[in-house]
Amino acid sequence: MKGPATELIHAGESDHGAAVTLTTPIYETSTFVFESAKEVLAYNEGRSSKYLYSRYANPTVVSVERKLAALDRTEDALLLSSGMGATTTILMAHARAGDEIVCGAAIYGGTLHLLEDLLTKFAITVRFVPVEALAQPERLIGERTRIVWFESPINPTLRCVDVRRISEACRARGVLSVLDNTFASPINQQPFALGVDLAMQSATKYLNGHSDVTGGVVSGPRALVEPVAMARRLVGTVMDPYAAYALGRGLKTLPLRVARHNSNAQAVAGFLAKDARVSRVYYPGLPSHPDHDIAKRQMTGFGGMICFDLGGRYDRAERLYDRLKVIKRAASLGGVESLISMPVLTSQWGHTDEQLREAGVTRGMLRLSVGLEDVEDLIEDLDQALA
Ligand SMILES: Cc1ncc(COP(=O)(O)O)c(C=O)c1O
């Protein structure tokens, strides 16, 4: 017997008998044990399946990364500490001083600020282009363009761009195309079947689906994901094993959840579109949506996000927002709970009138993330709040 401190620290560790677990346990360990210097050497030389340090790789995290690569039907996926962590790490890996990044002007506000406020400090130029310009991507690519970064559907207006056309234009010029697929999720839109080079997602949204994890994903062919993995080691933007465990559990019901998000949102959008108190409804599944045809071509479901406008009037949007009872006033999206936000107070907060116009956002807009509640209750809640 050793002393009590030694026993308490070492007894029972790394000895799990014949337990063969059904689900992947949470490997809540920052580091991993080796038997010999030879083993460490084999690891360093890439001849071992062992793990060294959780900032590099962790079995719980890797098991969820495999699910995500399979879901996207691509070679590799990485989990990161947040969607913004994923975006930052992709850019650190694939852009360098002197490069230009072309980005849709109607884009998630965090992405916009990262590119505009931070990236430009590193001698990287950013050119924001309107949605209409993304319809002719061949014209957007210049001599110094290194990356075209875009979303579809776009936050918060749900405008859609032709993913295949942008990807093909990029490939023809040797430029990296990166799609933020957060709003669609891979259940509704398969980025690699549409030809993109890399896909990024905020795992905080549909992938986890239960509003209790912050995370991000990058997926794609190994040759493009590997530099992001190296950057992730150095920047330290890896996901924690506990968050990965929760995300892995959420992912198991993703197809079921997304099917219900799609059908609930279609019903709510149909209700709002018929209501005279609502001036405009943006939902890719409505034939009135400007990009309905593109959405039909590239999506297998239209998603759970709806945006609607109360005549551009902030006072009317505020009134409806404050009166809702079932739908919760909260930022974020993609969870089981229906959430509402006013884009001018959240994703487009602080934007100038011109930036709002470029993003297609008005002060009377509301963005609704339709959850998995009984749809009649959601419609009744909106109907009463509009009254
Ligand atoms: C489309 C889109 N991309 C990226 C992000 C950033 O993700 P996260 O909040 O997980 O960093 C968000 C967050 O709302 C988003 O809506």
Side-chain angles (χ1 to χ4, degrees), residues 17-344:
V20 179
T21 62
L22 175 63
T23 60
T24 306
I26 309 173
Y27 283 84
E28 228 12 316
T29 182
S30 56
T31 192
F32 300 89
V33 178
F34 288 88
E35 291 297 329
S36 64
K38 268 204 182 65
E39 274 192 3
V40 184
L41 191 66
Y43 173 89
N44 287 344
E45 292 176 351
R47 295 183 284 106
S48 154
S49 58
K50 289 219 152 200
Y51 289 81
L52 180 98
Y53 188 53
S54 280
R55 176 158 53 77
Y56 298 1
N58 172 287
T60 311
V61 178
V62 166
S63 92
V64 181
E65 289 173 340
R66 289 195 181 131
K67 288 185 198 298
L68 290 161
L71 178 64
D72 266 345
R73 303 195 190 292
T74 188
E75 277 181 331
D76 231 340
L78 295 175
L79 281 174
L80 298 104
S81 51
S82 66
M84 290 308 297
T87 300
T88 306
T89 313
I90 293 170
L91 294 172
M92 295 283 283
H94 285 289
R96 58 174 55 96
D99 286 347
E100 177 193 65
I101 296 171
V102 170
C103 181
I107 196 99
Y108 169 62
T111 309
L112 184 128
H113 285 297
L114 173 71
L115 293 175
E116 198 168 58
D117 305 343
L118 276 186
L119 224 61
T120 44
K121 293 206 305 194
F122 300 95
I124 292 167
T125 321
V126 183
R127 184 155 46 97
F128 292 102
V129 296
V131 180
E132 291 69 28
L134 286 167
Q136 293 188 309
E138 307 76 18
R139 294 188 179 179
L140 294 176
I141 297 168
E143 282 305 306
R144 293 193 301 113
T145 310
R146 171 83 189 106
I147 297 174
V148 173
W149 189 286
F150 64 109
E151 292 177 12
S152 189
I154 292 167
N155 182 38
T157 54
L158 290 315
R159 292 293 309 268
C160 299
V161 293
D162 188 333
V163 176
R164 189 183 296 282
R165 186 155 172 193
I166 295 173
S167 309
E168 282 172 2
C170 288
R171 183 138 313 151
R173 298 285 299 273
V175 167
L176 196 72
S177 56
V178 188
L179 170 69
D180 181 339
N181 203 29
T182 300
F183 268 42
S185 92
I187 301 295
N188 283 335
Q189 182 166 271
Q190 284 271 295
F192 300 100
L194 297 169
V196 301
D197 289 323
L198 279 177
M200 171 268 156
Q201 289 173 87
S202 166
T204 316
K205 320 299 183 192
Y206 290 103
L207 296 181
N208 176 61
H210 295 77
S211 314
D212 52 9
V213 164
T214 300
V217 188
V218 51
S219 53
R222 187 145 301 139
L224 293 175
V225 172
E226 191 54 34
V228 186
M230 292 312 292
R232 185 183 68 171
R233 280 188 184 202
L234 300 175
V235 186
T237 41
V238 72
M239 180 179 269
D240 178 84
Y242 192 86
Y245 166 80
L247 172 61
R249 190 163 65 172
L251 276 172
K252 291 174 188 176
T253 56
L254 181 70
L256 300 172
R257 287 187 285 105
V258 170
R260 179 72 178 256
H261 283 295
N262 290 345
S263 61
N264 273 5
Q266 188 79 43
V268 171
F271 160 76
L272 292 170
K274 284 204 207 91
D275 197 301
R277 296 166 294 185
V278 177
S279 56
R280 190 149 179 202
V281 182
Y282 301 80
Y283 183 65
L286 290 178
S288 60
H289 189 277
D291 305 315
H292 181 59
D293 287 341
I294 298 178
K296 263 200 313 206
R297 239 184 2 251
Q298 65 191 17
M299 300 178 81
T300 49
F302 299 115
M305 298 303 297
I306 299 174
C307 187
F308 57 103
D309 198 342
L310 301 182
R313 282 187 39 194
Y314 182 89
D315 59 330
R316 289 193 57 209
E318 180 185 31
R319 182 167 185 274
L320 175 127
Y321 182 83
D322 288 353
R323 283 161 58 96
L324 289 164
K325 294 201 162 62
V326 177
I327 299 167
K328 296 288 180 293
R329 287 160 285 275
S332 202
L333 61 116
V336 296
E337 313 86 352
S338 290
L339 303 182
I340 196 152
S341 63
M342 294 171 64
V344 288

